[in-house]
Amino acid sequence: MKRKLTAREWMLLCVLAVLAVVSGYIMLFYMPVTTQRDSALNEVEACRLELEAAQLRLDEKQRMERELEKVFSQPGEPMGLAPYDNLQPVMVELHAILDGAEDYSLSFGTVDTQEPIVRRSISLTYTTGSYATARNILQRLHDSAYRCMLDSVNISMGQDAGDAISVNSTIVFFEYQ
């Protein structure tokens, strides 16, 4: 049975053919290419981030090398960290440094041993007769043979010229565990 298609049927067949071609194009060509493009863009972004991280590591390494060159170019041997439980030599050092003070007191805080670098906190209060002596003691603490950091310093001066200078500070000594 053969019959002629009407103009409306031909038009519907053409619309169906166009839909089939467009759908085929989208499914077989456009979507895979878009997926590959997005994948390539993601890889490029990952490579860019990796390159930036490598550049940051390189910059940090070069900075550390410059610092090491600077440390080793200075005369004398660079200062290292004392071994853990170094309290006895630290006490001898503190007594020698604080010899110029009129009086002093030490208060020991907790020792932080959570990391390989141990932090020993010591609260220090001393009085001196002059500002120059107080400053000299602080400088000697800073330049101590053992690695330390002056964490906080509070200097109180009396009202009159002859009054004593009182210094409250916290020192953190570093030791290697």
Side-chain angles (χ1 to χ4, degrees):
M1 169 166 163
K2 269 189 160 189
R3 81 176 182 97
K4 283 192 164 192
L5 297 175
T6 65
R8 183 176 180 166
E9 290 171 338
W10 278 110
M11 188 136 88
L12 286 175
L13 277 176
C14 287
V15 168
L16 182 62
V18 168
L19 277 174
V21 168
V22 169
S23 297
Y25 170 78
I26 289 175
M27 295 295 288
L28 299 174
F29 181 73
Y30 181 77
M31 287 180 66
V33 168
T34 304
T35 304
Q36 287 178 349
R37 185 201 62 195
D38 291 345
S39 175
L41 289 174
N42 288 339
E43 286 181 33
V44 166
E45 182 66 20
C47 288
R48 187 186 63 76
L49 291 174
E50 190 174 318
L51 182 64
E52 286 177 4
Q55 184 65 40
L56 288 174
R57 285 193 307 270
L58 178 65
D59 292 344
E60 183 67 17
K61 181 181 176 189
Q62 289 173 343
R63 184 190 62 79
M64 288 190 292
E65 286 174 351
R66 284 191 306 269
E67 286 182 14
L68 283 174
E69 287 173 5
K70 183 176 146 186
V71 165
F72 284 106
S73 68
Q74 296 174 354
E77 189 69 24
M79 184 171 49
L81 287 178
Y84 177 63
D85 206 11
N86 192 41
L87 185 59
Q88 199 67 25
V90 167
M91 290 301 298
V92 171
E93 178 85 9
L94 285 174
H95 180 67
I97 291 172
L98 293 169
D99 191 33
E102 292 176 4
D103 66 339
Y104 67 88
S105 67
L106 302 173
S107 175
F108 297 91
T110 59
V111 178
D112 181 13
T113 59
Q114 299 298 322
E115 297 179 19
I117 305 298
V118 176
R119 291 174 172 83
R120 184 181 303 276
S121 178
I122 300 173
S123 295
L124 168 67
T125 302
Y126 65 91
T127 57
T128 63
S130 70
Y131 178 78
T133 306
R135 186 187 184 292
N136 185 31
I137 290 173
L138 288 173
Q139 187 64 44
R140 288 177 62 194
L141 284 169
H142 176 267
D143 299 337
S144 170
Y146 300 104
R147 290 272 180 173
C148 66
M149 174 180 67
L150 294 171
D151 195 24
S152 65
V153 177
N154 184 11
I155 300 175
S156 301
M157 303 176 85
Q159 298 294 337
D160 296 329
D163 287 346
I165 307 293
S166 176
V167 178
N168 295 322
S169 64
T170 302
I171 306 166
V172 179
F173 282 92
F174 299 100
E175 301 169 359
Y176 187 71
Q177 187 172 18

